[in-house]
Amino acid sequence: MTTPDNRRIVIFDTTLRDGEQSPGASMNLAEKMEVAHALVELGVDVIEAGFPIASPGDFEAVREIARQVRGSTVCGLARCREADIDRAWEAVQHAPQRRIHVFLATSAIHREHKLRMGKDEIIQRAVEGVRRAKGYCDDVEFSPEDAARTEIDFLCQVVEAAIDAGATTVNIPDTVGYAMPSEMHRVIATLCQRVPNIHRTILSVHCHNDLGMAVANSLAAVEAGAGQIECTINGIGERAGNCSLEEVVMALRTRNDFYRADTHIVTQRLLPTSRLVSGVTGIQVQRNKAIVGQNAFAHEAGIHQDGMLKERTTYEIMRPEDVGYAQTELVLGKHSGRAALADRVRTLGYHLSPEQLDAVFEEFKILADKKKEIYDGDISALVEQEIMAVGELWSLVSYYAATGTGREPDVELVLRRRGETFTAKMNTGDGPLDAIFLAIEQITQTHVTCKDFHVHSITMGKDAQAEVQVELEHEGRLFRGRGVSTDSVEASTKAFLNAVNRIAAMGNGKRRD
Ligand code: KIV
Ligand code: ZN
């Protein structure tokens, strides 16, 4: 609630732009749409949907989000260049609430080594960029990249000029995660004091986490007067990531007595959104991560458990249900119909087309034959697998694998591509999975190095589904893949194939015959 002494902080989510820049986190269009819908339900004010000039895929994603998403402002990123700004506008124009975000580096290191520009030229470029964006839309954000390492006098000049040119939000990035909280506080406080037109803009902050300070720096900026925080779900992003949305939002909510500021985030959607982003990017959330980690509300020590039983607030500063942990998980089974599944899918926050729901229902029936009780985690896995499979070039038809101690594996793999089947037999490899992976490489003619491989069970019990995540390197880039099945070999095969499909989608899949 916003009262005179309870400021409303704008939440600008950049999961689909800065978050997607995490190595291996690239998402396809269907995945981005699903995340965008989830962000709206979460109540974020601004969705930075991508960097439209970066690639045709980025452009298409921003344009589709702008066309379909309602309820949040849709923003496209642009450098201070005409072509970038024009392309960003082309992508966001269909959104009822749209924003163009232009950026230009201002620190001495960037001016000298990257841009080779003097201070006057930087100011002129920034002003031209903001003016061009302003010619298209009212809502324009300007970011002096690497602001945290920019000389404060020059930063004040750039910010003043950008506001005069029409910037309605001025964002202060700590691009390399270098600042300390008290420094960030000083920068924002100085801008508030010294920039004469600062009241005409919303000051924003965008912190990277290289020294683990992103959330602390963002909060320090709010304390000093910032009115917008840029952040990502699960804190994903370049290198060590960005400010984590769930942490910063819950800090403001839980310590409202201290910050006297709050957001419009529907906190009960934090956990489902975190799980969705982790699922589609393949970036797992560490167990002890604040708010959304598996252990975030687990009390192990006897003394804590005793205190909790007597009075929860002895050891609990937030209620798990307030961030989306369900009290009970609804269980579906083989007699549950399409309507019950559809209802559960909606409650879990997914938006499936009728065709996608049909496909998930088919998989649900197959699973219900193998497994007595189907939990929310199983349903999320089926839905996310369906979303990830949209537009995939290669699909698994069947596999056969026989092996034993001291024996060569014997594998036969059948894949389908546009209705045509391809078979490979393999008698080499370090076990059956290696042989299957070699067979996939042979059929798809995609050569990769497996960098990481994880198996875990989605729910409890011997009949639980296995989820496999792989990370493959191809031509110097990382691609993640995920597969789910009650059969862990099949789950591994699907995960490897999912990553190969991502490579193919990037135009690197070699088999063109
Ligand atoms: O980290 C950064 O400086 C950015 C800008 C584009 C805002 O991501
Ligand atoms: Zn950034």
Side-chain angles (χ1 to χ4, degrees):
M1 202 177 71
T2 309
T3 60
D5 62 347
N6 195 17
R7 287 188 303 136
R8 155 111 136 82
I9 304 299
V10 174
I11 293 295
F12 176 109
D13 179 277
T14 182
T15 305
L16 294 170
R17 200 277 297 167
D18 221 335
E20 214 222 359
Q21 286 173 221
S22 314
S26 57
M27 296 172 238
N28 65 30
L29 180 61
E31 290 162 348
K32 287 185 182 176
M33 292 307 305
E34 198 60 42
V35 171
H37 285 301
L39 291 173
V40 173
E41 284 198 11
L42 180 63
V44 309
D45 301 286
V46 186
I47 298 174
E48 187 165 55
F51 188 6
I53 195 110
S55 71
D58 256 59
F59 174 80
E60 195 192 354
V62 180
R63 190 185 53 189
E64 279 316 299
I65 291 170
R67 281 186 176 149
Q68 294 185 35
V69 159
R70 295 293 172 264
S72 304
T73 296
V74 178
C75 173
L77 182 68
R79 289 165 295 187
C80 275
R81 296 183 184 183
E82 291 185 359
D84 280 42
I85 296 164
D86 297 353
R87 194 79 172 139
W89 171 246
E90 224 187 303
V92 298
Q93 61 180 319
H94 298 291
Q97 298 153 258
R98 56 265 169 127
R99 175 180 294 186
I100 299 177
H101 176 190
V102 289
F103 74 100
L104 180 66
T106 50
S107 65
I109 298 181
H110 282 242
R111 290 195 313 263
E112 282 159 29
H113 301 288
K114 187 176 91 176
L115 300 173
R116 294 178 208 284
M117 281 186 197
K119 287 181 175 173
D120 290 345
E121 205 182 341
I122 295 277
I123 293 186
Q124 192 188 331
R125 265 294 231 356
V127 165
E128 282 167 8
V130 172
R131 283 202 184 126
R132 188 165 189 96
K134 201 73 186 173
Y136 289 125
C137 78
D138 288 339
D139 190 348
V140 173
E141 173 168 329
F142 173 72
S143 286
E145 190 190 4
D146 205 16
R149 290 193 299 171
T150 300
E151 308 91 308
I152 191 70
D153 292 341
F154 182 54
L155 188 62
C156 288
Q157 281 176 29
V158 177
V159 168
E160 184 179 349
I163 299 171
D164 266 343
T168 40
T169 299
V170 173
N171 177 45
I172 303 301
D174 181 17
T175 303
V176 292
Y178 182 75
M180 291 294 128
S182 53
E183 288 176 307
M184 197 43 120
H185 189 286
R186 197 168 52 234
V187 170
I188 299 293
T190 307
L191 290 170
C192 290
Q193 278 160 16
R194 296 207 349 221
V195 176
N197 53 6
I198 201 78
H199 57 280
R200 287 180 9 215
T201 199
I202 292 180
L203 257 185
S204 167
V205 69
H206 174 113
C207 298
H208 279 268
N209 205 31
D210 299 65
L211 292 171
M213 298 290 162
V215 171
N217 283 342
S218 305
L219 291 169
V222 167
E223 225 187 311
Q228 172 178 288
I229 299 176
E230 303 202 352
C231 44
T232 60
I233 301 296
N234 299 335
I236 63 170
E238 282 276 10
R239 308 179 307 279
N242 289 59
C243 171
S244 148
L245 182 148
E246 51 284 348
E247 291 179 24
V248 84
V249 162
M250 286 314 290
L252 290 175
R253 173 104 7 131
T254 309
R255 296 307 312 275
N256 185 263
D257 61 316
F258 183 79
Y259 290 106
R260 295 272 170 231
D262 205 353
T263 68
H264 275 192
I265 293 296
V266 181
T267 58
Q268 293 77 4
R269 298 295 316 158
L270 287 170
L271 186 65
T273 314
S274 157
R275 288 189 176 156
L276 171 69
V277 169
S278 165
V280 299
T281 58
I283 300 179
Q284 278 179 329
V285 172
Q286 82 198 45
R287 268 180 179 260
N288 62 334
K289 177 164 187 324
I291 318 297
V292 291
Q294 219 173 314
N295 291 355
F297 292 90
H299 297 271
E300 183 68 22
I303 197 165
H304 288 204
Q305 289 172 348
D306 180 53
M308 285 283 291
L309 288 172
K310 288 178 176 142
E311 167 56 48
R312 295 189 76 87
T313 52
T314 49
Y315 286 100
E316 201 169 78
I317 59 165
M318 295 167 275
R319 295 187 313 168
E321 54 271 32
D322 289 345
V323 301
Y325 287 87
Q327 292 289 39
T328 49
E329 276 210 348
L330 210 104
V331 180
L332 298 184
K334 102 193 249 166
H335 300 297
S336 310
R338 191 178 180 282
L341 176 72
D343 183 57
R344 208 59 212 142
V345 165
R346 258 194 314 275
T347 310
L348 289 170
Y350 298 102
H351 297 77
L352 297 186
S353 65
E355 298 74 38
Q356 284 177 314
L357 187 65
D358 286 343
V360 172
F361 188 50
E362 283 309 306
E363 292 297 320
F364 170 81
K365 283 193 298 190
I366 295 170
L367 184 62
D369 273 338
K370 297 183 191 161
K371 199 173 179 291
K372 237 171 64 205
E373 289 175 326
I374 299 193
Y375 297 96
D376 286 350
D378 292 314
I379 295 171
S380 295
L382 293 181
V383 171
E384 283 163 18
Q385 192 164 261
E386 173 58 28
I387 296 166
M388 290 194 310
V390 172
E392 279 195 344
L393 187 61
W394 297 96
S395 59
L396 173 66
V397 178
S398 64
Y399 82 87
Y400 165 83
T403 189
T405 311
R407 292 188 181 191
E408 292 294 342
D410 178 16
V411 154
E412 184 178 288
L413 180 77
V414 186
L415 300 183
R416 181 176 290 121
R417 191 194 64 180
R418 296 195 196 98
E420 196 181 344
T421 53
F422 297 80
T423 302
K425 290 178 192 290
M426 197 59 64
N427 294 102
T428 53
D430 198 4
L433 289 184
D434 194 32
I436 288 178
F437 294 170
L438 288 169
I440 293 178
E441 288 190 66
Q442 189 185 87
I443 295 178
T444 62
Q445 293 177 19
T446 308
H447 300 293
V448 295
T449 311
C450 187
K451 290 289 191 187
D452 209 355
F453 179 89
H454 287 279
V455 190
H456 75 268
S457 84
I458 290 180
T459 51
M460 305 152 287
K462 274 195 354 216
D463 62 355
Q465 292 197 89
E467 179 183 66
V468 175
Q469 292 185 327
V470 297
E471 199 172 278
L472 307 183
E473 191 182 84
H474 175 76
E475 295 179 356
R477 288 192 54 182
L478 284 180
F479 294 84
R480 289 199 168 85
R482 182 174 178 233
V484 176
S485 170
T486 48
D487 165 356
S488 56
V489 176
E490 186 176 282
S492 308
T493 310
K494 284 179 172 175
F496 200 92
L497 200 54
N498 179 235
V500 166
N501 272 313
R502 283 171 194 261
I503 296 170
M506 296 297 290
N508 291 330
K510 293 284 183 294
R511 189 162 202 143
R512 307 215 186 277
D513 50 315

